[in-house]
Every structure is written in C-alpha cells, then in structure tokens.
Amino acid sequence: MSEPNNRDGAAVDAVVIGAGFSGLYMLHRLRDQLGLGVRVFEAAGGVGGVWYYNRYPGARCDSDGFAYCYSFDSQLLQDWVWHGKYPAQPEILSYLEHFADRYDLRRDITLNTKVVSAEYDEQAARWTVTTDTGETVSTRFLITGIGHLSIARYVPEIPGLAEFEGEWHHTGSWPHEPVDLTGKRVGVIGTGSSGVQCIPVVADQAEHLTVFQRTPQYSIPARHETADENFWREIKANYDDIWEKSRVSATGYPWQHNGKRAMGVSDEERQETYERLWRQGGVRFANGSFRDLVTDEAANRTVSDFMREKIRETVRDPETAGKLVPRHPFLSRRPIVDTHYFETYNRDDVTLVDVKATPIVELTRTGVRTEDTEYPIDVLILATGFDAVTGPYFGIDIRGRDGVRLIDAWKDGPSAYIGLQTANFPNMFTITGPGSTLGNLPITIETHVEWISDCIGHMRANDIREIEADPDAEKRWMAQVTEQAEQSMLSKADSWINGANIPGKRRAYVFYFGHFGHFRRLCFDTAEQGYEGFVLS
Ligand code: NAP
C-alpha cells in the first residue's frame, strides 16, 4: 500500500497537518514503523506547533516538565535534561527540534505552507489536499495535528486598534525579534494563562505596566525551587513507574487524588492538605488533593476560599486584592500556574484596572481609554486567547462524503467519536480532536497517535478501504461529554473550553472531563473489539 514520498504533488499514503507534538510523533510512527509515504505541512517557519508561536515574555509550560514530553522513548527520557520544574518556551521548542532531528523527521516536513483545503473523493477513497503555495497532494489518510489553540488567535474588536500609534502584539503570535519594553509604558489586556505568565516578566522590563483585567483568576504558585538535583535524580530513576501511573491516572499525571471527599475530613486535615500541596506548588494542587473538588459545590467552596485567602495574604493593598479575588469556582476554568503573579501587584510601577467595572471604550492613538480614564500606552500586549478548537479546523476548507463541509457538520458544535473521527469524513483522523481529554496533553497525543497508527496498520493487514466514526456512537459520546461537563464545575464559568470566550460563538463542550485512564483504556478497547464505534468498509 505504501506510496513513495513524492515531492511533485502526486500521491502519498498520509498527509499530516501540523508539526507540533502531534504531527512529529505521527510522522515518526507512520513512516518509521509502518513504512508509509507521509508529507507533513506546517504553516509556521519551524517545527514546534504552539511552542513555535507562543514566545511572549514569560511563556512557559504549566504542566510539570518531566511529564510534559514523549513517554515512548526511554533513552530520550534519560538523555534530555530539563532545566526547571516548568520549562520555559525556548526549552520546549528546542526539545521538539531535537526530537525532529533525532528521528530525521525534517525531510518530510514542508514548512511555511498552510493547508487551505482537503476534499474527499469517494470513488477513489482518497483526499486531495491543497496548500497556500499551490501544491496539490493526493493522500489516502488525512490526519490533523493542529491542536486546539494553534494559530486562531483572538483579537477583540476594540475601536481604534487600527489607529493606535504604539506597538501591539498578541501573545499567541509574538514576534521573533526581541520586543524591547525597557522604559516603555506597557498595557496587557487579558489575565488567562498567557497574561498571568507574561505580567510579572513584563513588569520587570517596563517603566510602567497597566493590566486590564476583565475576570480575576485563581493561580497556583509554580515553586520552581522544589525541583532540585535530588528531584531530577529521582525522576530519571523512576520514569517507568511515572508513566505507568500517568497512563491510569485521572488527568495524565503520575499522581492521584487522595481518595477522600473534602467535606469528609476535619477542617484541620483539609487545611493541612491544601497547605502542604500549596507549598509544593504547581498543577498537583489542583488534581492531587480531594477527589470531589470538581464535582461537589461544597467541596469546591473549601478550595476556592483557600485560594481567595492566599490572594488577600499576598497582595498588600486591600483594594487591589479585592479586584483580584475571583468569584467563580476554582476549576471551572483551566487551572493556571504562575511565577510571582500576585506579588507583581505589590509593585509601585504596576496598575490594575478592572475593566468589568470601567470597560475599555477605545484605543486612542496613544493609549487605552476606559469609561473613566485614559491610560497612556507605548506597547499593548493582547493576551486575549484563541478561537479554540473550531478556529484551527475551520481555517481549512475540509469536505468529506458528498462534499459535506466540516464547518456544516459541526454547526451545532464540534464533534468526534472519542476525539478521533467524525462521521462522513472517512480516513480522516483528528489527533486530540473534539471529545478528547484535556489533561496532560503529550500523553493524550501519544494515546491518539498510537491508536491511529495501529488502526492504519490494521486496515492495511485486513484490506480495509475506509474507516469513519459511527454517527450514533459519535452522538452518544458527545452527549456523554456534555453531561459530564454539565455535572461539574466547568458549567459554572465562561471560557475558551466551552466556546464562550468568542462573541457570537455557539457554546459547546468539546473536551471529555472524565478520567484520563478510563478514556485511554476505552480508546484501546474499541480497537481490540474490532473498532467498535467506527464503520469499516
Ligand atoms: P484565555 O484563557 O482565553 O484568556 C484570555 C484573557 O483575555 C481572559 O482574561 C479574558 O477575559 C481576556 N479578554 C478577552 N477578550 C477581552 C476583551 N475584549 N476585553 C478584556 N479582556 C478580554 O487565553 P490564554 O491566556 O491565551 O490561555 C488559553 C489557553 O492556552 C490556556 O487555558 C492554556 O490551555 C493554554 N496556555 C497554556 C500555557 C502553558 O503553559 N502550557 C500557557 C499559556 C496558555 P475573560 O476571562 O473575562 O474572558
């Protein structure tokens, strides 16, 4: 079945879109293990996916670095040395560049090339993929490794942006040349993960920083100092165990909750549990304590109150602290990990503006004008997030059976059976597509990539022409995804996770918030049971 890797726009076995964590591993599996002819198209000028684009000051991983990597290559796990608990963006990018070189992947990756359309021909059972450089490739399998937040940055429609005479940059497409903030009056709009990461670093560089905050956020201190030499020795010695635990865990990390309900223990024990994890820092605070924080309101109130108190203890000015205390429940949005975020508001050269109380009216030529004040700004940073999930997919004109467009198939919300395939789009696979989990992403990506390459191997061995999601299985799965989210804290706040961050976008739950280990098992069980939930022909 293998087609030669053809550079003249003829036929290959598989086209992979994107050269981030997903696309790189997919290429390795299909080419080096199955011997397929594969082309990878990447819109950016280098490999790395989100880690190529998100190079704003302070950008770093907010999953523990030792677990935010590929698990399948035990030698790579020993060879690679992470410098810190939560590696900074340049380090993750160089890890992915190293991975591309280690497996000689670059020769099959075409950079600076965006896939603009993909159309399925039912007679031939092949996809025709067209790029913005005018190349057309025929492929049997189409695999998207475009992530959830890749290039669809969200720039709000603020009147006057076009006339603003200062510089402005979005965190998700930060320039490659250094942006000099020294002596500048800088404004940051947005306090999600990106804003919270960049605000302390920008404050160190700028003459004055003004933060325009719409919704206050919870954030967990990273505590980089807890990863010392002993920590790394232990990690390297125990990687097998780390992955074994991660693969069956609730969120893809090598730890579990403590099995207890928050209200089932004494006030002292609860407080001691939160304090201990808070001292350790990082995402483990969110998913390593009580089992019911995300499902039980009373349990959640205890952790939310604990975190609100930490903000009041850290921020010296009570009025500023009051603006920074969130009202929504912790874990109703994706948790954030920071490096001295709240401490930044103790600086005299940092101003916090609550734009819910006094909304931004416009950008003038020289600053940001809210309902009551004009703030002079030289450089404006938009940390305003992404048109998540649908943005990257709808940026490509994808047409399946009978010419049905993906944008129409997903008009009521994006959907895929266990995040992998959508009905009417045969032989198209979506790595961590809608309905997939959203915990530690590299391990979810590995689960999907391995599933897809096993599936393609199975099709080849059994002479199967097409595979696509069974529409009923897909519908049932997305109903379960919605039900799970509605019963949890996730229904209690608006964010990119449910599409509510983009004005006019249809609200929909697109991630499975059940147990990661169960999800992973389900993926492999469906395969073992003859691809139950999929239609093969
Ligand atoms: P985000 O979480 O969507 O945050 C966007 C921020 O911009 C919010 O504070 C939002 O306010 C604000 N905003 C949007 N439009 C606005 C407007 N018109 N006026 C004022 N404020 C406005 O985006 P993000 O921070 O880029 O993070 C997105 C996701 O990227 C994260 O959840 C995470 O999954 C990923 N990420 C990961 C890392 C990592 O370390 N691994 C780092 C950065 C990002 P509201 O809250 O009121 O909507």
Side-chain angles (χ1 to χ4, degrees), residues 24 66 135 144 163 174 183 219 285 289 307 313-314 316 349-350 359 476 515:
L24 294 176
F66 73 84
E135 198 177 350
T144 59
E163 289 78 38
W174 196 260
S219 182
F285 177 82
S289 64
M307 295 183 78
E313 279 171 20
T314 308
R316 285 196 290 270
D349 53 4
V350 173
R476 277 198 307 273
H515 190 280

Side-chain angles (χ1 to χ4, degrees), residues 237-267:
N238 290 300
Y239 252 129
D240 287 349
D241 184 48
I242 285 169
W243 295 122
E244 220 168 279
K245 287 187 171 131
S246 302
R247 288 184 189 119
V248 297
S249 71
T251 49
Y253 297 96
W255 52 74
Q256 273 293 16
H257 53 67
N258 61 16
K260 300 178 185 177
R261 288 183 303 104
M263 302 308 286
V265 301
S266 66
D267 291 354

Side-chain angles (χ1 to χ4, degrees), residues 458-478:
H458 172 83
M459 291 174 76
R460 181 161 62 169
N462 295 282
D463 219 9
I464 294 163
R465 190 170 187 257
E466 289 179 334
I467 182 168
E468 65 191 281
D470 173 339
D472 291 333
E474 184 180 332
K475 241 183 244 126
R476 277 198 307 273
W477 177 252
M478 292 313 290

